Amino acid sequence: MIFINNINIIDKLYESHFASKLELVQLISTINDEEAEYLRKKAQDTALSVFQNKIYLRGLIEFSSYCKNDCYYCGLQKSNSSVVRYRLSKDEILQCCENGYKLGFKTFVLQGGEDLYFNDEYMGAIVREIREKYPDCAITLSLGERSCKSYEYLFKCGANRYLLRHETADFEHYSKLHPPSMSLKNRIQCLYDLKKIGYQVGAGFMVGSPFQTVENLAEDLIFLHKLKPHMCGIGPFIHHSSTRFANKPDGDVRQCLILLAIIRLMHPNILLPATTALATLDENGREQGILFGANVIMPNLSPLNHRKDYSLYENKAYSGCEAAENLKYLSEKVRAVGYKIVSDRGDYIK
Ligand code: SAH
């Protein structure tokens, strides 16, 4: 057997944007701090060469905490009777966009539980109105699994991007995180449908989700290599006390940073956020994420009175730097590590 050390694997990722599953498993499970720093520098170089030191902003509008699904990890699962359910009206969503636009946001991300109240007609009307009022902005949807027809319709109404994390690329692992009514096959189909329709598509997964193995993480990376999404959202799993995973340990911040860096090397142009979950577990998570190759931040534009109720997980950060209204503070923190927040739309560039 030819022995390939971690530095060789990192060099290979840097040069050819690929490594085998075995190599990825080895790298993720045995990388030491010195090698992690080598990886970090390569990822940072790659991001800097594509995006310079620009960080793109996405304004997150969490418009509904209702959900028909029961994802075992998520605080918004329909079985959780202790969560406060709310939905924003079209006018409230438009108000969020107006606030965001004034602050310099050029992307609005509409995210919610799978809430049937927002059927195609209503969702389409919301998208059309945002499109009309803000022709220079990107509209990103994150509404979970819908029919191909529905995705097509919303695209025609003016949506440009869609975030749908695949959550895990392993069928057995998927079934440990979701009820039998949900299927990885369908989720993957949705991702391919969205791509075909013309959306810029974001996949992604949690790091350290219950029952996840290092092999699963390597499979996630191989899946991303096949799908070639335009964006990828990853963040540590964080327990929520009203779910069956209340006692499961939270994901590891270091491992999440290492995965961000690997994803950057495998997809030099990908739009890669330093996520709220990362910032929730580590007060420097956002800056660390950027130093490991992330180039997007998604501050919260939801109305203040509802923010605490969009509780995907415990202690989800929604104030301070996570809050869109504190953009100045966030800009300073980003500047302190050598980057600058820009108000570009930040589309995917081939
Ligand atoms: N209903 C939409 C949005 C889901 S919430 C959809 O199905 O795509 C957005 C993401 O938050 C999820 O895809 C999941 O990866 C993440 N998430 C949910 N619960 C979490 C938890 N307990 N810890 C960390 N991330 C979580």
Side-chain angles (χ1 to χ4, degrees):
M1 203 177 98
I2 304 167
F3 179 74
I4 172 161
N5 69 31
N6 287 342
I7 296 292
N8 297 147
I9 300 174
I10 296 166
D11 285 340
K12 180 173 169 181
L13 284 167
Y14 181 64
E15 279 149 27
S16 69
H17 318 302
F18 187 71
S20 69
K21 183 173 167 187
L22 271 179
E23 290 165 340
L24 291 167
V25 168
Q26 174 186 312
L27 183 64
I28 298 165
S29 52
T30 67
I31 187 167
N32 65 28
D33 287 349
E34 215 175 298
E35 291 158 352
E37 178 56 17
Y38 185 78
L39 168 69
R40 186 197 71 70
K41 282 218 183 86
K42 292 273 182 202
Q44 185 179 27
D45 280 358
T46 304
L48 285 171
S49 73
V50 181
F51 304 101
Q52 298 85 48
N53 66 341
K54 289 184 204 160
I55 300 297
Y56 299 128
L57 281 181
R58 317 305 193 197
L60 187 59
I61 304 170
E62 299 161 332
F63 68 89
S64 174
S65 68
Y66 285 87
C67 192
K68 70 176 171 62
N69 285 336
D70 249 328
C71 306
Y72 299 154
Y73 45 84
C74 182
L76 299 183
Q77 60 183 263
K78 86 166 172 239
S79 311
N80 182 6
S81 54
S82 63
V83 70
V84 176
R85 305 289 174 177
Y86 72 89
R87 48 175 75 97
L88 302 186
S89 66
K90 175 148 118 329
D91 288 346
E92 286 173 308
I93 294 173
L94 283 156
Q95 186 61 54
C96 295
C97 297
E98 193 181 323
N99 299 342
Y101 195 76
K102 281 189 195 139
L103 291 165
F105 285 83
K106 293 277 181 332
T107 295
F108 304 118
V109 181
L110 272 54
Q111 188 182 83
E114 290 199 15
D115 180 358
L116 297 174
Y117 183 86
F118 291 89
N119 58 17
D120 288 351
E121 196 188 336
Y122 191 38
M123 204 66 226
I126 294 168
V127 171
R128 275 202 304 271
E129 200 158 332
I130 301 176
R131 173 55 54 238
E132 222 166 85
K133 286 210 161 112
Y134 306 99
D136 55 333
C137 291
I139 303 173
T140 306
L141 301 178
S142 181
L143 323 172
E145 295 169 40
R146 297 169 84 103
S147 68
C148 188
K149 271 220 159 89
S150 168
Y151 290 148
E152 261 163 4
Y153 177 70
L154 296 172
F155 187 77
K156 280 197 192 116
C157 290
N160 316 89
R161 307 182 187 147
Y162 205 101
L163 302 179
L164 185 76
R165 291 185 177 183
H166 64 281
E167 313 296 1
T168 171
D170 181 89
F171 284 86
E172 200 187 321
H173 186 215
Y174 190 91
S175 72
K176 292 179 182 167
L177 300 179
H178 301 93
S181 57
M182 295 179 73
S183 90
L184 176 57
K185 192 165 167 250
N186 191 58
R187 209 157 175 92
I188 292 176
Q189 186 59 50
C190 288
L191 283 164
Y192 280 97
D193 287 346
L194 288 161
K195 246 191 130 179
K196 202 167 140 202
I197 294 165
Y199 284 94
Q200 290 172 48
V201 173
F205 55 92
M206 289 172 285
V207 176
S209 60
F211 314 110
Q212 184 180 64
T213 62
V214 180
E215 283 75 14
N216 292 154
L217 288 170
E219 285 159 20
D220 286 322
L221 296 172
I222 302 280
F223 171 73
L224 292 175
H225 177 78
K226 276 192 213 136
L227 176 69
K228 305 209 185 324
H230 310 90
M231 315 175 275
C232 180
I234 70 163
F237 161 77
I238 305 175
H239 72 281
H240 188 297
S241 55
S242 324
T243 67
R244 69 175 69 195
F245 293 156
N247 298 317
K248 297 285 183 197
D250 292 343
D252 182 58
V253 169
R254 178 182 183 269
Q255 188 167 63
C256 188
L257 294 171
I258 285 166
L259 281 151
L260 278 174
I262 297 176
I263 293 170
R264 170 59 65 210
L265 293 186
M266 293 179 81
H267 307 261
N269 300 350
I270 206 166
L271 296 155
L272 191 62
T275 52
T276 303
L278 193 58
T280 296
L281 284 191
D282 184 329
E283 59 173 345
N284 295 317
R286 208 175 308 90
E287 294 88 321
Q288 285 295 310
I290 291 170
L291 294 172
F292 276 77
N295 72 320
V296 171
I297 344 190
M298 303 172 70
N300 199 314
L301 266 182
S302 312
L304 283 167
N305 59 324
H306 290 303
R307 277 186 204 170
K308 65 178 182 325
D309 300 325
Y310 196 78
S311 51
L312 304 171
Y313 45 83
E314 215 102 311
N315 302 318
K316 180 165 155 281
Y318 56 83
S319 58
C321 276
E322 288 306 311
E325 60 278 11
N326 297 334
L327 212 55
K328 256 183 98 179
Y329 180 42
L330 177 66
S331 298
E332 280 163 26
K333 292 197 99 181
V334 166
R335 204 174 319 132
V337 290
Y339 287 77
K340 62 167 189 226
I341 288 181
V342 295
S343 147
D344 307 7
R345 247 173 79 127
D347 283 297
Y348 180 82
I349 295 163
K350 260 201 173 159

